[in-house]
Amino acid sequence: MWINIDKNSNTPLIRQLYNQIKHLILDGQLAADEKLPSTRKLAMNLGISRSTVLDAYNQLIAEGYLQGNHGSGTVVSGGIDIFFIPLKKPDKKHDLSVTLKKEPETMVIDFQSGVIDSSLFPLRQWKKAYQCSFDQVSETAFYYHPCAGVLKLRRTIADYLLRTRGLHCQPDNIMIVSGATQGLALISALFHDQQQPVLIEDPTHPGLRKIIERSKLSLIGIPVDDRGMVTDLITPFLSPAFIYTTPSHQYPLGGILPIQRRQKLIQYAIAHDAYLLEDDYDSEFRFEGQPVSSLYELNPDRVIYLGTLSKILTPAIRLGYLILPDKLIEPYLELKKYSDVHSEAFTQYALSEFIENGELEKHIWKMKKIYTKKRQHLIAELSRCYPNDFEIKGHAAGLHMVVHFNGVVFDDTLINHINSQQVRVYPIANYVFGNKAAYTSDILLGYAHLSFAEISMGITRLCCALLNPEHKKDTPTSVESNKK
């Protein structure tokens, strides 16, 4: 039995011995009932401790490869099919110059929406809150928690919403979820047996449509204008399970739903025994005035409020929350129980401490100023490279903007040409559920995650592609020569 032990390898000795004996059995070099050396003899021959050999033998016995017969030693088990498995060679130090891929000469500037600047995450304050929360929790924190979430956090969120949004709600109505994605998925699952459609804004995020459709719910798109969902276009005889809306900052067009339309939605929901799902995904980042009032406060019995922290702190903290009408709490908790029991608890304690210390509001205030400057810089760069031929849509809020380019059609050919300039933009037509014709000249530009230099470079490359659509190999700086 040929075994080679490499004492300089990063692989533990027991694992090396276990692997090699296993492979000798599987490729037929050790036959059934063949006797293995004693642990003492094999240890002496290999220059390793007997306990290492014992542990390897015991592991192989536990997995059925070997049998330990009292008084007659250890033998190979029968009934094992023989097939060849190449044995991994001993570890070697990798040559990084060979294994690492060469970085591209030109970095792609990606104007993806919904991505925040995580480099400014308040790590020191978060660590402090996390440590403080650990110092305060009792041993009960290590057991299962309520499906609704940690009560301390739910109380903190209720106080926070009242203080910052004027939104009155009870902690009992707040449900902690593992991000807004899970929140939407759970609400969709609540209604999947009712065979009723869901009304959604059109255009809207393709991802949320997929989440709802996974619950086997059909979708009906309601057109959107510069003031959000056009409520007059909702068919009177429809009886939806719920209506999905982003009233504080319509995604992606950016309109704010006026009170008249909000009241019509409430009246429609009451008349059809339906619910309104208010996705308040980025209301904290409104750059002109205070955050918009919530739809929830108009009728807490008919509105499901969905909030998230991914767009505020970091997507790595997978926590969001729902505010549910009383009638939905019991069926929701049953669903959450058999989904994941409860969202991760220790982060909930830390988040509660973080909010109570005022750190969340400090961070929002800081990021609002930075995102405002980035938005202004983006508009200035568009004006420099493409003056008088574009229009900004939506209100000054959020982490993206929609830009209409006069006389430009963002078809596949143009988008491919823009991509060749090492820049990524997103046609609004891709977000449209129904008629795409009205949005062929509009693109979405997310800017929050980009540096000021990246914004300048990206807009320069974009405008170069728009000004020189027939030239596939123009350099990004050629736009400057076109302006002279």
Side-chain angles (χ1 to χ4, degrees):
M1 184 172 69
W2 177 257
I3 293 177
N4 180 36
I5 294 295
D6 182 2
K7 295 183 179 180
N8 295 319
S9 171
N10 291 328
T11 304
L13 297 179
I14 181 177
R15 179 56 59 175
Q16 292 185 51
L17 182 58
Y18 161 86
N19 283 336
Q20 292 186 57
I21 295 176
K22 181 176 72 172
H23 282 77
L24 289 171
I25 294 172
L26 289 175
D27 66 14
Q29 295 186 53
L30 287 176
D33 298 325
E34 186 171 345
K35 187 175 181 180
L36 270 66
S38 69
T39 56
R40 191 183 305 278
K41 182 178 180 180
L42 185 57
M44 185 181 301
N45 290 341
L46 297 176
I48 59 179
S49 70
R50 186 187 176 203
S51 63
T52 298
V53 180
L54 275 170
D55 288 343
Y57 275 22
N58 287 335
Q59 182 66 31
L60 291 162
I61 291 171
E63 295 183 15
Y65 290 99
L66 301 178
Q67 289 181 343
N69 298 321
H70 183 70
S72 59
T74 304
V75 299
V76 178
S77 299
I80 300 176
D81 292 334
I82 296 174
F83 59 94
F84 177 73
I85 299 178
L87 185 62
K88 183 181 178 182
K89 295 180 180 180
D91 293 347
K92 293 182 179 180
K93 292 184 179 179
H94 294 289
D95 184 355
L96 294 180
S97 63
V98 176
T99 58
L100 292 180
K101 293 182 178 179
K102 185 179 180 181
E103 290 293 326
E105 295 182 2
T106 305
M107 181 181 66
V108 174
I109 307 298
D110 193 341
F111 286 97
Q112 182 181 356
S113 68
V115 184
I116 66 173
D117 191 344
S118 294
S119 67
L120 298 175
F121 176 75
L123 184 58
R124 180 178 61 84
Q125 294 88 337
W126 179 256
K127 285 182 177 179
K128 182 178 178 181
Y130 215 101
Q131 184 60 54
C132 185
S133 66
F134 259 105
D135 292 341
Q136 294 177 5
V137 298
S138 65
E139 64 178 24
T140 59
F142 293 87
Y143 297 106
Y144 288 108
H145 285 69
C147 297
V150 172
L151 181 58
K152 178 178 171 62
L153 176 59
R154 291 152 60 201
R155 287 172 174 166
T156 300
I157 290 176
D159 292 340
Y160 168 77
L161 291 174
L162 179 61
R163 184 172 62 252
T164 61
R165 299 293 306 278
L167 192 157
H168 292 265
C169 65
Q170 298 300 316
D172 288 345
N173 295 90
I174 296 176
M175 307 290 140
I176 305 301
V177 292
S178 301
T181 299
Q182 187 193 46
L184 178 58
L186 288 172
I187 294 302
S188 300
L190 274 180
F191 296 97
H192 83 282
D193 288 332
Q194 298 186 15
Q195 304 297 315
Q196 293 172 285
V198 173
L199 308 188
I200 62 169
E201 297 168 336
D202 188 17
T204 194
H205 198 295
L208 78 89
R209 297 205 301 263
K210 292 180 180 178
I211 293 172
I212 297 173
E213 287 173 332
R214 285 178 68 87
S215 293
K216 310 301 181 183
L217 294 170
S218 60
L219 300 177
I220 298 177
I222 307 299
V224 168
D225 61 16
D226 59 354
R227 297 193 300 162
M229 180 182 286
V230 184
T231 52
D232 288 341
L233 297 180
I234 300 177
T235 306
F237 59 81
L238 285 175
S239 294
F242 63 87
I243 302 174
Y244 175 90
T245 179
T246 52
S248 296
H249 187 227
Q250 198 280 326
Y251 188 91
L253 298 185
I256 296 175
L257 195 69
I259 183 60
Q260 295 84 354
R261 295 186 182 183
R262 292 174 183 237
Q263 290 176 337
K264 285 185 178 181
L265 280 178
I266 295 293
Q267 293 165 3
Y268 188 93
I270 294 173
H272 293 79
D273 192 24
Y275 291 93
L276 307 175
L277 177 52
E278 176 182 12
D279 188 347
D280 198 18
Y281 67 99
D282 70 355
S283 64
E284 289 84 359
F285 298 123
R286 177 166 163 76
F287 309 133
E288 297 172 351
Q290 297 298 311
V292 178
S293 297
S294 69
L295 183 63
Y296 176 85
E297 66 185 44
L298 294 180
N299 194 319
D301 292 330
R302 285 293 160 189
V303 179
I304 303 166
Y305 183 97
L306 176 60
T308 181
L309 294 161
S310 299
K311 303 296 187 294
I312 305 174
L313 286 171
T314 168
I317 297 178
R318 300 307 305 157
L319 288 180
Y321 57 94
L322 292 161
I323 309 177
L324 296 182
D326 293 338
K327 189 176 180 180
L328 294 181
I329 291 177
E330 186 175 342
Y332 166 84
L333 291 176
E334 184 75 6
L335 190 62
K336 174 72 170 174
K337 177 181 178 180
Y338 294 104
S339 171
D340 61 357
V341 183
H342 61 76
S343 299
E344 194 274 317
F346 287 118
T347 304
Q348 294 186 51
Y349 285 110
L351 179 59
S352 178
E353 186 74 21
F354 188 82
I355 297 174
E356 288 179 356
N357 291 340
E359 298 297 344
L360 180 62
E361 288 168 78
K362 289 179 184 177
H363 182 67
I364 291 173
W365 179 253
K366 172 185 175 181
M367 298 312 298
K368 280 179 67 173
K369 293 192 291 185
I370 293 173
Y371 292 154
T372 297
K373 291 179 181 178
K374 288 186 177 183
R375 177 184 173 88
Q376 293 170 344
H377 182 68
L378 175 56
I379 295 174
E381 289 300 292
L382 284 168
S383 298
R384 175 181 67 85
C385 295
Y386 211 82
N388 306 318
D389 285 328
F390 70 91
E391 173 189 352
I392 304 298
K393 291 187 173 183
H395 289 256
L399 309 176
H400 71 273
M401 68 170 64
V402 174
V403 186
H404 175 88
F405 287 86
N406 297 325
V408 177
V409 175
F410 289 97
D411 55 17
D412 290 343
T413 300
L414 180 55
I415 290 298
N416 289 336
H417 178 46
I418 292 172
N419 289 344
S420 73
Q421 300 293 307
Q422 300 298 297
V423 63
R424 301 288 182 268
V425 298
Y426 299 86
I428 293 298
N430 292 350
Y431 297 79
V432 177
F433 190 55
N435 181 21
K436 302 177 184 292
Y439 301 100
T440 56
S441 299
D442 298 345
I443 58 171
L444 182 149
L445 299 176
Y447 53 82
H449 61 295
L450 299 174
S451 67
F452 290 92
E454 288 170 337
I455 291 173
S456 297
M457 186 183 300
I459 294 303
T460 298
R461 294 176 184 176
L462 170 63
C463 294
C464 168
L466 296 181
L467 292 169
N468 300 277
E470 71 280 9
H471 301 302
K472 301 296 184 183
K473 296 183 179 181
D474 287 334
T475 61
T477 55
S478 64
V479 65
E480 296 299 332
S481 62
N482 282 286
K483 289 295 181 183
K484 295 179 180 178

